Amino acid sequence: MEHREEDVRLGANKYSERQAIGIAAQSQDKDYKEPPPAPLFEPGELMSWSFYRAGIAEFVATFLFLYITVLTVMGVSKSDSKCSTVGIQGIAWAFGGMIFALVYCTAGISGGHINPAVTFGLFLARKLSLTRAVFYMVMQCLGAICGAGVVKAFGKTLYQTKGGGANVVNVGYTNGDGLGAEIIGTFVLVYTVFSATDAKRSARDSHVPILAPLPIGFAVFLVHLATIPITGTGINPARSLGAAVIYNNEHAWNDHWIFWVGPFIGAALAALYHQVVIRAIPFKSK
């Protein structure tokens, strides 16, 4: 106890008073090592069980995601009175809540992507190899198709007459409106993914603990609130593909390109913004 006063004085003088919150800990940046970019091709992954385990985790997570969310959409669609259902807010919570739960469950196995746009953005940032990115996307799409298929099995007539949870540009909006909504919505999601999982931020701002799945799930919830009236909210090509394949309607297929092009553009912009503007990685000395 006799050294307590000295310890307090040293602690108080460790950082200058005018430093903004979160800046003081940046002195720890010297201890942070930027991880090397993932190789474009990594054939050795194909011999690893962890590689296939991660793909299976992506399949199961996307299956469960489509099962819960499309079933929620069907429950709202079949009711004549929306007051007796969870409504648009409930649909948004179903999507956001499932992403929160599933990212939490699978983050330690596959990274918890559950979305080809997220995988694409992380690939562009060199966070994973092309081998793994393609494998993830295939497994995500297969999982989504199976998830929507199970929902249809519960009631084929209801599924076909109420839209099957498929994404289309709604009446009153143009394809350009839908594309813009998908680009911006996916940008919000992927930018949140980058920020919530930034290892350097975790090291620098260790005094501000964060549970990464929470802001990611919340971003999905908010984007759905904003864009369900426009496109039903895709921001996930696997989710859109799964519902489109099982619903198999001409209108859904005519608009389907929007739910691939929009999310991939949004993901690319988010990756570019985070890596170039926020992290300024291209400008750092080797």
Side-chain angles (χ1 to χ4, degrees):
M1 292 297 290
E2 65 269 17
H3 298 296
R4 183 173 181 180
E5 183 178 345
E6 181 181 359
D7 292 341
V8 170
R9 178 160 38 80
L10 289 173
N13 295 329
K14 189 174 182 181
Y15 305 113
S16 63
E17 292 181 1
R18 296 184 181 275
Q19 288 178 311
I21 294 176
I23 301 299
Q26 288 183 358
S27 62
Q28 299 173 2
D29 287 353
K30 296 177 181 178
D31 299 327
Y32 175 79
K33 300 293 184 182
E34 193 74 45
L40 187 60
F41 296 101
E42 197 168 4
E45 288 185 317
L46 300 177
M47 304 299 293
S48 170
W49 164 241
S50 64
F51 176 78
Y52 296 100
R53 181 184 64 179
I56 294 170
E58 287 293 309
F59 172 89
V60 171
T62 315
F63 169 85
L64 295 174
F65 179 59
L66 266 289
Y67 170 75
I68 294 296
T69 55
V70 175
L71 203 56
T72 303
V73 172
M74 291 295 95
V76 173
S77 299
K78 76 174 184 179
S79 177
D80 295 329
S81 173
K82 297 299 182 286
C83 294
S84 62
T85 69
V86 295
I88 289 179
Q89 294 87 349
I91 293 174
W93 274 121
F95 279 89
M98 278 304 290
I99 287 296
F100 169 74
L102 293 170
V103 171
Y104 180 83
C105 291
T106 60
I109 302 171
S110 66
H113 297 190
I114 322 171
N115 184 338
V118 171
T119 300
F120 181 66
L122 293 172
F123 164 71
L124 292 180
R126 303 294 300 276
K127 303 294 185 182
L128 71 164
S129 67
L130 179 62
T131 313
R132 187 173 291 264
V134 171
F135 183 48
Y136 277 15
M137 290 182 190
V138 170
M139 297 301 280
Q140 290 158 358
C141 290
L142 291 176
I145 293 170
C146 293
V150 171
V151 175
K152 183 175 180 178
F154 286 163
K156 183 176 180 180
T157 301
L158 172 66
Y159 189 90
Q160 291 299 133
T161 57
K162 296 300 182 180
N167 291 120
V168 296
V169 178
N170 292 320
V171 176
Y173 295 96
T174 66
N175 284 352
D177 297 332
L179 182 62
E182 289 297 305
I183 291 173
I184 297 172
T186 311
F187 179 91
V188 172
L189 169 60
V190 179
Y191 175 44
T192 303
V193 170
F194 273 108
S195 297
T197 59
D198 189 341
K200 183 175 182 180
R201 178 180 179 182
S202 298
R204 183 192 67 196
D205 296 335
S206 57
H207 60 293
V208 185
I210 186 170
L211 179 63
L214 182 58
I216 295 171
F218 203 62
V220 171
F221 165 69
L222 292 174
V223 171
H224 275 76
L225 282 183
T227 60
I228 282 177
I230 304 174
T231 62
T233 308
I235 66 171
N236 184 334
R239 172 262 186 272
S240 300
L241 178 66
V245 167
I246 301 302
Y247 182 48
N248 196 26
N249 175 273
E250 183 179 358
H251 183 197
W253 285 121
N254 288 340
D255 290 351
H256 189 65
W257 66 272
I258 292 171
F259 303 99
W260 282 87
V261 175
F264 273 40
I265 292 176
L269 292 174
L272 182 68
Y273 177 66
H274 184 268
Q275 296 294 95
V276 176
V277 178
I278 302 300
R279 293 295 309 279
I281 289 178
F283 309 111
K284 292 179 178 179
S285 59
K286 300 295 184 180

